[in-house]
Each structure stands twice: as C-alpha cells, then as structure tokens.
Amino acid sequence: MGFSKNIIITGGAGFIGSHVVRLFVNAYPEYRIINLDKLTYAGNLANLKDIEDKPNYTFVKADIVDASQMKEIFDAYKVTDVLHLAAESHVDRSITNPMEFVMTNVVGTVNLLNSARDYWKGSYDKHRFYHISTDEVFGSLHNPEDFFLETTPYDPQSPYSASKAASDHFVRAYHNTYGLQVVLSNCSNNYGPNHFPEKLIPLMINNIQTGKPLPVYGKGENVRDWLYVVDHARAIDLIFHKGKTGDCYNVGGFNEWKNLDLVYLLCDIMDQKLGKEQGTSRKLITYVTDRPGHDLRYAIDANKIMNELGWKPSVTFEQGLAKTVDWYLSNSEWLQNVTSGEYQKYYSKQYN
Ligand code: NAD
Ligand code: TYD
C-alpha cells in the first residue's frame, strides 16, 4: 500500500507522543506513522495497544542520540516528515542528572536535524520538521499580569528547560542556515491518561489511591497552566498541517492553578469517587523541601493559535480532570505495571 507521507513521530511511546500517534494513525490512514522511541523508563508501548495492529503504524526502537541509526531509519522508511517529541521531560530528574538531558534533548535533536537536512536536501519545501517544545523555556513569571507570548525572550531556569531551549535554538538555526522547513510549538503543562506517575497529577492520584503521603514542594504556591493532553495532540495536528513555516505557536488552556489548590481539588474528587468522607485525602498532604530553583509561575497566552489556526480546547478543566481520574481508576493494571517496573520487562524482551 502506498502512503502519501512517511512520518516519524519521536517519543511516540511516551505520554504526549502516544496521544499524538493515536490521533495521526486513526485520522490519517493515508500516512504511514513510524513511532521512533528508545523506550526509556518513560516509554511504554502499552499506551498504544489499541492501535498497534493498524496497517499504517510501525514501531521502531531507536535512540535519537545515535546518528548512524537515524540515517538508516530515514533511508529505510523514506521519511517525509518529522514530529519530534522524544525528550527527557522531568525537571527533578534534570536536577540530579543533567547530562542525560543534554544528550537526548540537545544532541539527539541535532542528530535528527542533520538526518533530515541530509535526506531531504534539494527538496526542503516538500518536507516538514515539527519540533514540540515547552513553555518552560520562557522562564518564570512573577507579575500576575504577565503571560508567555511567542515573542517572549527565552530565559530557561532548570537544566530541563535549558536543554529544551537549546534544542529550539538549533531547530530555528537549521531553518535560517539550511532552509529546513521547520515549525515549533511551546505548550504548557499537560495532564491526562498515560501520564507517568512521577509528575504532579498522576503522582497525587496514585498516592491518594494507595494512601501514601502527598508531597507538596515548598508551600504549594507555584502556579502551572494545565491542558488536557488530547487537546495538545489536536493542536499538534493543526500546527503540523496549517502552521506557518519558521513560526512557533504557544499552546495552553488559560487554566492556571496553584499547586496546593490543585492537590486539594484532586483530594476532593478522589474522596468522592472512592466513597470516602470529604477531607480524608487532604490529610495525606505533606509539605516537603522545595525543588531547587523552582519556577514560580507559568502562563501561556494562546491567542495566536486560537486566532490564526482556530484551535481551542475541547474540554473544560473539570471535564478533563474527571476523565483523567476515571481513566486511572479503571486502568489500575497500567498503573501497577508502571509503578512496579513490570512494563519495562515485558517490552524489553520483545524489542532487544
Ligand atoms: P515523556 O517523558 O512521557 O516521553 C518521552 C518519550 O521519549 C518516551 O517514550 C521515551 O522513551 C522517549 N525517549 C527519551 N529519550 C529518547 C531517545 N534518546 N531516543 C528516542 N526516544 C527517546 O514526555 P512527554 O511528557 O510525553 O513530553 C513529550 C514532549 O513534549 C517533550 O519534548 C516535552 O519536552 C514536551 N512537552 C511536555 C509537556 C508536559 O506537560 N509533559 C508540556 C509541553 C511540552
Ligand atoms: P511537574 O508535574 O513535575 O511539572 P513541571 O515541573 O514541569 O511543571 O510539577 C508540577 C508542579 O508541581 C511543579 O510546580 C512542582 C510541583 N510538584 C510538587 O509539589 N510535588 C511533586 O511531587 C511533584 C512531582 C511536583
């Protein structure tokens, strides 16, 4: 069967990547979707069980840091476009092990850019390199009236955001220097099904369920802007197809929450769903030492993507959070496999 595009989606076994792969595989049977993932601790092919047998889906286990492997894959699959999501993504891990972030997020991105530049040479206008980034590159907001715009100067504060900022700069440099047709987006914090339980929302859901302490960093006053992951995937679809080459788009839900208020809300929802007396789970909240260099507030101004591409979130925070909690409650096997490490044993046997 001939496909109109052969698209690599890197990091497709991770949280956001798996939602993007599912959307593309289902919505575009005319595209071949190649999920390129190293299957680090954050990659879990169980996230894609429902689409793994589709004729337009292929999984390739590979490391974007390995330049010769990337070249082979471009040749073998006649890659026409790239959606680049693979990354080390957890700020706390970047504080204990920054070099892994430099390798995957910076070196890995440059390897991919080189492969795309070399393989598409002479026909750049027919191919697109879409780099998926984060709002954390803009740094930390202190004035409540301020929002991150596409024009906000970069000011990354953690090893994670510094590595993502570096990768964004390389992507722009390859557009400017070689003429590679790139597009970028910077999104706020995502939440939803398949989120690895080291991040705030799934960690709290898991700990409430198992009666463990709920570690709130510092006083819980930091603010994050939360977006349902499926709405991010919808934005990525629009930007890939309609975004202006060389441009970037900020994606966010105008949905700011102080960490402590969000944890209270999760406790109350979980008490209700688990048939516990209201207030039970709030007692699990434990204030712990703050993250070093903890960014105070992130808030995205998403007007550009809304006005230019007609995107808007499809669910309210209430709806998205309810869907998320329901998903975790009815997928306890997924959560157990992830927290016990079982998921890695199963797939490493299959792909090593
Ligand atoms: P994730 O940690 O859940 O998944 C990352 C995926 O990349 C995993 O499947 C992992 O196996 C794979 N990977 C890691 N290193 C690799 C390598 N060297 N080669 C190939 N594959 C590798 O991350 P996520 O939360 O889904 O984030 C995806 C992308 O979106 C990242 O680029 C991140 O910076 C960006 N982003 C995330 C958020 C968020 O809230 N999670 C918000 C905005 C932007
Ligand atoms: P996180 O989900 O790690 O995303 P990011 O740091 O990329 O925004 O954290 C979200 C917020 O929650 C952040 O301000 C740190 C805070 N946090 C806690 O208070 N306790 C926790 O156990 C975790 C993981 C995060």
Side-chain angles (χ1 to χ4, degrees), residues 91-92 95-96 157-159 217 289-295:
V91 174
D92 294 330
I95 294 169
T96 48
Q157 300 291 321
S158 74
Y217 296 169
T289 310
D290 208 353
R291 172 187 282 172
H294 197 170
D295 287 342

Side-chain angles (χ1 to χ4, degrees), residues 99-115:
M99 199 45 93
E100 264 187 50
F101 286 68
V102 175
M103 292 312 291
T104 286
N105 299 0
V106 187
V107 178
T109 299
V110 178
N111 268 337
L112 268 182
L113 285 165
N114 282 340
S115 307

